[in-house]
Amino acid sequence: MKQYYEIKAQNPDCILFFRMGDFFELFENDAEIASKILGLTLTSRNNGASGNTPLCGFPHHASERYFPKMVAAGYKVAVCEQVEDPKLAKGIVKRAIVEIISAGTSMNEAILDAKAASYLCAILPQKNTIAFSFADVTTGYFAVSESPIPNFESELARRMPKEILVPAGMDLPQSIVEFARSENILLTTVAEEHYEWKRASEVIENHFKVTSLESLGLDGQVEKTRVSGAILWYLIDQKKSELSHITHLELLDLGEYMVLDPSTLRNLELVRPLNADDVRSTLMSVLDYTVTAMGGRRLREWISHPLISVRKIEERSEAIAELVANPIVLDELKLALREILDMERLLGRVGSGRANARDLYGLGKSLSKAVKVAESLSSLKSPIFHALAETLLSAEGKGDDILKILNDELPITVREGGMIRTGADAELDRMNAEIQDRREWIASLEARERERLGVNTLKVGYNRVFGYYIEVSKIHSDKIPPEYIRKQTTVNAERYITPEMKECETIISSAESRIHDAEYRIFCRLRESVNAERHELQQIAEAVAETDAFFSLSVAARKRGYVRAEVFEGTGIEIRGGFHPVIVSANPDLAFVPNDVSLSPDAHRMMLITGPNMAGKSTYLRQTGLIVLMAQIGSFVPAESARIGVVDRIFTRVGASDRLSRGLSTFMVEMIETANILRNATEKSLVLLDEIGRGTSTFDGLSIAWAIFETLHDNPKRAAITLFATHYHEMTTLADSLEHAGNYQIAVREDGDKLIFLHRILAGACDSSYGIHVAEMAGLPSEVVRRARKILLRLEKSHIDPSDAKQVEKMREQPQVDMFASPDEDTQLLLEELRRLKPEEMTPLQALQTLTELKAHYAK
Ligand SMILES: Nc1ncnc2c1ncn2[C@@H]1O[C@H](COP(=O)(O)OP(=O)(O)OP(=O)(O)O)[C@@H](O)[C@H]1O
């Protein structure tokens, strides 16, 4: 326990799993926490003067299951192993922490999402900016940057790290703390000393084996050095290994990508659904035809990082266009990609010293297939594919170098032989040959003894306790020869050994132990030689990932009938026949009505869109956002044609808020997000605003919406392309009066008492809001609907603001029996109802019922 307490004291923030023989044991508070999470029985052990200590544990081989569970529950796991052979130990066996596992550093497949990176992030807030680093220990990705806080927030939401390291004793931006809390991201405090420049530089220089920071581009970059040094220190400290698969540091330039703030990422459901169960509602789900996990991760990265360089966008879309036109190449690629494993993560296992023979074999097979991918790409002309094919071709021979050493069937363990192929190593072959005749002797023993004793059911078996044995059923005990020595009795049989067998076994087992050691040495050499080439192999893996992402976007384009968008430097959006990629793919039977968008600075730059509820306003806004975004990923887009002026940022204020849990009201969130838009939109932005102002009283809301619309129109710095959907019909006069704005409506047709949604966008304002109509269609009781019609009529006539208590009170004081009824209005409402009736479609009974209802209501 003294040893336990010492180790525990060094890792106070971890749950300590303490290896004792074949078990991992937990004590005290750790045992109480873990027993609940892992469902283990809590016992206690008498611990001398300190009384009973709570205790729980499990066999060590169950750790693969239990560690990830603990980490997923938000804890850090410290794994304490016996680090010397208990047989050789003097006194208590030495123990040490061999690894610390936390959410951001786990390499266990059980809690990794194959198609999403597993990021750890470190931050170092400055006055107006923030230095930050992202690392994915499963693949070796490592990047650093510094940017204004909002841009970092965007990056944080895109990458969604599992853990964020923060320097001790430093004030953090509230928004980041809030974000981490609401997304369940583990915040880990790291002592300030690890952020000291000198210390951080040393960590980096040692890791990359460089003598100065210059070669990494960190020269003079104090904050970036500090933050990347801290994250690297943390990773190495936790993994207790070299992490040689972290081969380079990327200097990230967020300026290359479209800014997507957290609310836009959420609302457009790019990679994560708003509603966790609804995985088919994301753009990712529509575009994801990737075959490999690496390709899946790359595509996800692309979708959340749309480009803003026209040249780069065109390079990508040109490559996709070529693949779209080459279905045969697509088929070939699919076949080759299908056999490629997650090379990035396999290399991660190699670099962190945890790869077994199966991992290396998988890598070998994948490398051979990478050459096939290169061959398929070689018939294409796009420069991107040329470059990819060249990188992939460098895999030539590398796979064979591995496969010619390893067997096709491999064990999980690396210490028990069975890994190395015959012919791979002469010395090993010689060692095997030496005992070959003895092995054969054992192998043929069963047949020989069966014949000699005349017992057909005699078996030769092996177990760890007494090695080889001969099993003979009890009914044949009279046939047992004198040299058989009885070792064990089972229900129906007896087990025997013979001196000859024992001798043979001793020779085999001592030779095998040498063979196992030799195999292990050969395996380690192979692992090292793979590791020595890690940088090149990583590039091959990246090329596979990228090819797969291209493959996926091309297949999506073909299957879903997308077209290549023309992207240009400048402002304006011209979409013909655009449709919503997710709605259409999720509802194949829906007759989706395609719509156009035509906006430019010379004509209308802003659309004020009116139309009844359910007409399709939100859908139109979102599909426009998604089409622009897809175009800037380089993907084909869901439309007949599209010309898109590159946008620097898409702002959205749409849909319900899911931030209520952060203690902000719906209206407050709406206004915070709108304020952000008004502060940051530029003439190159796309702004999508859906029903701004609806969260407050009618006139307040209208006035706010009005002012926002005016500002986006009049302020040249904020002159963004804007789609503005609203139910405030009063605003249509505003849109009419503004030079760069126009009224648009989503058409509906009235057919008797039915409202038919045409889902088509047309120029001009919608003349009625039909809210009550839609409510009626939804099944609101007819009494309530009638009442609502009356109230509406009165409000419209008297221009009363329903949110103004004084005005409503005044109306109540009017000497009327029924607050809102007047004979005139009744007549008007009755006439309206009569107009909507279709007697020719009614049964006599329905007609009678309607008549009775009308009489009861209007002629009491
Ligand atoms: N172009 C279209 N073709 C076919 N169906 C559509 C189209 N656009 C929208 N819809 C369908 O109409 C329904 C309502 O769409 P949406 O939510 O966009 O309406 P809305 O006008 O924003 O309504 P509200 O004002 O109540 O928010 C959705 O279920 C959608 O699938």
Side-chain angles (χ1 to χ4, degrees):
M1 286 314 281
K2 192 173 154 227
Q3 189 186 34
Y4 172 82
Y5 287 129
E6 269 169 22
I7 295 175
K8 177 71 194 166
Q10 289 157 13
N11 299 279
D13 60 339
C14 299
I15 303 284
L16 180 56
F17 288 75
F18 199 68
R19 180 74 178 260
M20 295 177 77
D22 280 341
F23 280 78
F24 275 111
E25 303 282 7
L26 294 113
F27 300 101
E28 303 191 333
N29 202 21
D30 286 0
E32 283 175 19
I33 296 171
S35 66
K36 285 196 200 94
I37 291 169
L38 305 177
L40 300 171
T41 313
L42 195 63
T43 55
S44 64
R45 106 188 296 201
N46 192 300
N47 202 19
S50 54
N52 279 348
T53 308
L55 162 91
C56 66
F58 51 83
H60 72 99
H61 55 77
S63 60
E64 285 283 300
R65 224 166 354 120
Y66 286 134
F67 291 167
K69 228 173 170 180
M70 217 54 215
V71 172
Y75 292 93
K76 281 190 189 171
V77 167
V79 186
C80 177
E81 288 278 7
Q82 299 178 168
V83 290
E84 65 178 343
D85 188 339
K87 284 186 215 119
L88 310 174
K90 292 197 189 88
I92 284 180
V93 61
K94 256 198 219 121
R95 291 187 172 83
I97 301 289
V98 295
E99 186 184 4
I100 295 174
I101 315 169
S102 63
T105 62
S106 174
M107 297 180 79
N108 192 304
E109 276 162 29
I111 50 168
L112 291 177
D113 177 352
K115 288 196 169 182
S118 174
Y119 287 119
L120 170 71
C121 173
I123 59 172
L124 182 60
Q126 303 299 298
K127 206 157 164 230
N128 296 314
T129 63
I130 193 158
F132 60 89
S133 173
F134 282 96
D136 179 350
V137 73
T138 69
T139 60
Y141 176 85
F142 185 29
V144 67
S145 191
E146 184 168 355
S147 75
I149 292 173
N151 298 45
F152 169 67
E153 284 170 353
S154 162
E155 197 56 15
L156 197 59
R158 299 197 241 232
R159 294 191 189 245
M160 218 36 102
K162 298 196 173 142
E163 181 175 357
I164 303 178
L165 308 182
V166 297
M170 199 177 252
D171 281 342
L172 302 174
Q174 195 51 32
S175 55
I176 293 171
V177 177
E178 243 180 51
F179 183 81
R181 197 173 299 144
S182 69
E183 297 290 347
N184 267 330
I185 299 172
L186 184 67
L187 282 179
T188 299
T189 309
V190 169
E192 259 175 299
E193 64 202 53
H194 298 297
Y195 285 85
E196 278 166 14
W197 178 80
K198 194 157 181 304
R199 200 166 171 150
S201 331
E202 275 169 21
V203 172
I204 298 172
E205 285 168 1
N206 285 343
H207 177 81
F208 289 107
K209 303 193 171 49
V210 292
T211 46
S212 86
L213 295 173
E214 205 172 353
S215 57
L216 296 167
L218 284 178
D219 202 24
Q221 306 278 342
V222 178
E223 271 67 44
K224 285 185 197 168
T225 306
R226 291 171 62 199
V227 79
S228 38
I231 201 169
L232 200 53
W233 165 79
Y234 182 77
L235 278 176
I236 294 171
D237 184 61
Q238 295 236 314
K239 294 283 120 188
K240 316 278 179 214
S241 89
E242 258 192 31
L243 304 184
S244 54
H245 60 301
I246 299 181
T247 52
H248 63 284
L249 175 62
E250 183 182 331
L251 300 175
L252 203 64
D253 179 5
L254 295 188
E256 287 179 16
Y257 307 109
M258 183 195 280
V259 181
L260 291 167
D261 31 28
S263 69
T264 300
L265 271 166
R266 225 180 11 248
N267 289 326
L268 291 184
E269 303 190 273
L270 299 185
V271 291
R272 280 206 319 169
L274 271 176
N275 177 350
D277 303 330
D278 220 357
V279 283
R280 289 205 315 161
S281 67
T282 61
L283 182 62
M284 174 79 184
S285 74
V286 173
L287 297 179
D288 185 12
Y289 285 91
T290 56
V291 186
T292 65
M294 299 180 281
R297 292 198 294 272
R298 181 57 59 102
L299 181 65
R300 197 185 168 98
E301 208 80 30
W302 281 5
I303 291 177
S304 43
H305 289 86
L307 303 167
I308 51 173
S309 146
V310 173
R311 185 182 55 79
K312 287 192 182 158
I313 294 170
E314 279 184 341
E315 274 171 13
R316 268 201 207 155
S317 66
E318 184 194 318
I320 292 170
E322 195 179 10
L323 266 189
V324 166
N326 269 295
I328 295 174
V329 177
L330 283 176
D331 285 346
E332 285 172 10
L333 283 177
K334 188 172 180 174
L335 288 179
L337 287 169
R338 207 152 50 189
E339 291 182 55
I340 298 186
L341 300 180
D342 195 337
M343 296 164 69
E344 287 175 340
R345 286 194 175 156
L346 287 175
L347 286 166
R349 293 172 61 79
V350 174
S352 57
R354 49 191 74 213
N356 62 18
R358 289 184 184 181
D359 293 329
L360 291 189
Y361 186 84
L363 204 54
K365 276 272 177 212
S366 304
L367 283 165
S368 317
K369 287 292 163 188
V371 180
K372 288 260 175 301
V373 174
E375 284 163 7
S376 305
L377 292 180
S378 61
S379 64
L380 304 172
K381 291 196 191 66
S382 305
I384 286 194
F385 291 139
H386 269 194
L388 287 174
E390 196 177 316
T391 309
L392 290 168
L393 266 184
S394 67
E396 185 99 62
K398 290 196 193 327
D400 287 346
D401 288 348
I402 298 175
L403 299 176
K404 72 182 183 214
I405 294 182
L406 296 175
N407 280 327
D408 291 327
E409 300 281 329
L410 288 159
I412 294 182
T413 54
V414 291
R415 295 275 189 181
E416 286 167 26
M419 300 183 288
I420 308 300
R421 195 184 280 278
T422 313
D425 185 274
E427 174 64 11
L428 184 69
D429 288 349
R430 195 190 52 73
M431 288 160 85
N432 273 311
E434 259 178 30
I435 53 166
Q436 188 54 25
D437 51 345
R438 314 249 171 194
R439 279 178 170 152
E440 277 163 14
W441 186 84
I442 289 272
S444 57
L445 183 65
E446 190 174 277
R448 267 196 328 271
E449 292 296 282
R450 276 183 181 185
E451 196 174 334
R452 184 162 77 96
L453 273 62
V455 177
N456 259 345
T457 50
L458 177 148
K459 271 195 270 184
V460 172
Y462 180 85
N463 75 24
R464 275 173 192 271
V465 185
F466 41 79
Y468 290 104
Y469 58 81
I470 298 171
E471 188 176 285
V472 185
S473 64
K474 284 181 182 158
I475 47 170
H476 296 297
S477 33
D478 55 324
K479 296 184 183 137
I480 300 302
E483 71 273 22
Y484 273 32
I485 304 162
R486 200 169 72 214
K487 267 285 168 189
Q488 195 187 19
T489 306
T490 65
V491 185
N492 299 318
E494 303 278 2
R495 289 177 176 172
Y496 304 90
I497 57 167
T498 68
E500 208 182 354
M501 250 169 99
K502 256 295 144 249
E503 190 201 322
C504 180
E505 184 186 310
T506 314
I507 293 170
I508 292 180
S509 78
S510 89
E512 275 187 343
S513 118
R514 274 179 284 121
I515 289 173
H516 294 172
D517 286 348
E519 284 211 22
Y520 181 66
R521 276 196 305 276
I522 298 168
F523 165 74
C524 287
R525 239 181 5 246
L526 178 64
R527 188 161 67 180
E528 270 156 36
S529 75
V530 169
N531 199 29
E533 284 191 291
R534 60 191 175 269
H535 190 55
E536 223 177 329
L537 298 181
Q538 274 173 343
Q539 284 177 337
I540 294 170
E542 278 180 33
V544 171
E546 196 156 310
T547 307
D548 197 8
F550 275 115
F551 169 83
S552 177
L553 289 177
S554 310
V555 173
R558 281 179 67 88
K559 290 215 176 195
R560 305 188 179 282
Y562 298 164
V563 299
R564 182 172 178 189
E566 184 192 326
V567 176
F568 62 95
E569 201 73 66
T571 310
I573 299 178
E574 239 2 278
I575 298 170
R576 293 271 157 268
F579 55 94
H580 193 296
V582 181
I583 294 184
V584 170
S585 104
N587 309 280
D589 299 328
L590 176 78
F592 194 90
V593 181
N595 272 309
D596 301 344
V597 183
S598 178
L599 293 167
S600 75
D602 312 327
H604 287 166
R605 187 168 49 68
M606 300 179 74
M607 292 174 94
L608 186 79
I609 305 162
T610 45
N613 302 90
M614 278 294 288
K617 299 182 297 298
S618 309
T619 306
Y620 182 71
L621 259 56
R622 286 165 195 262
Q623 87 187 32
T624 307
L626 288 173
I627 290 173
V628 169
L629 190 131
M630 286 167 77
Q632 291 191 217
I633 292 166
S635 163
F636 277 28
V637 300
E640 269 167 38
S641 71
R643 283 192 77 237
I644 310 289
V646 160
V647 310
D648 61 354
R649 194 161 174 167
I650 299 180
F651 291 96
T652 54
R653 179 44 239 165
V654 298
S657 162
D658 56 352
R659 284 172 60 186
L660 294 179
S661 56
R662 295 186 211 176
L664 297 169
S665 78
T666 311
F667 181 67
M668 193 62 187
V669 172
E670 180 179 329
M671 287 302 116
I672 291 173
E673 291 184 5
T674 312
N676 170 42
I677 298 175
L678 292 176
R679 254 197 314 271
N680 296 307
T682 73
E683 71 280 9
K684 290 189 74 65
S685 307
L686 170 64
V687 175
L688 306 173
L689 295 171
D690 197 3
E691 295 185 37
I692 283 292
R694 71 169 158 189
T696 187
S697 74
T698 314
F699 283 175
D700 285 359
L702 168 62
S703 319
I704 291 170
W706 187 291
I708 291 169
F709 196 82
E710 269 181 350
T711 307
L712 287 170
H713 184 274
D714 296 344
N715 184 341
K717 279 205 202 130
R718 305 277 170 257
I721 297 258
T722 305
L723 273 64
F724 196 110
T726 186
H727 286 292
Y728 296 128
H729 285 261
E730 295 82 347
M731 285 187 65
T732 55
T733 47
L734 169 67
D736 273 338
S737 71
L738 297 176
E739 187 188 351
H740 294 296
N743 275 303
Y744 294 82
Q745 58 175 309
I746 308 221
V748 285
R749 202 177 69 223
E750 268 184 279
D751 183 13
D753 60 350
K754 284 207 200 85
L755 198 58
I756 297 176
F757 296 106
L758 302 175
H759 299 301
R760 187 168 302 287
I761 190 114
L762 300 174
C766 173
D767 48 13
S768 172
S769 68
Y770 300 100
I772 297 177
H773 214 125
V774 175
E776 190 178 9
M777 286 167 66
L780 222 58
S782 58
E783 272 312 297
V784 177
V785 172
R786 278 205 185 97
R787 181 79 174 149
R789 287 219 165 86
K790 265 189 203 174
I791 295 170
L792 175 67
L793 195 67
R794 169 55 66 98
L795 288 173
E796 280 177 353
K797 272 194 185 162
S798 56
H799 300 290
I800 284 175
D801 175 5
S803 66
D804 184 337
K806 277 196 195 126
Q807 289 190 34
V808 173
E809 200 52 39
K810 222 160 102 194
M811 283 194 43
R812 280 176 167 284
E813 283 164 8
Q814 285 174 7
Q816 282 166 359
V817 185
D818 183 343
M819 177 170 113
F820 292 126
S822 81
D824 266 7
E825 286 161 6
D826 264 356
T827 317
Q828 204 175 328
L829 288 166
L830 178 62
L831 277 177
E832 220 174 89
E833 286 203 47
L834 287 175
R835 220 172 282 131
R836 276 204 300 269
L837 286 185
K838 283 195 168 169
E840 67 277 14
E841 288 176 13
M842 289 170 138
T843 64
L845 191 62
Q846 281 171 335
L848 210 57
Q849 270 170 351
T850 310
L851 191 59
T852 313
E853 260 185 43
L854 291 175
K855 183 170 179 219
H857 196 85
Y858 294 102
K860 292 188 272 216

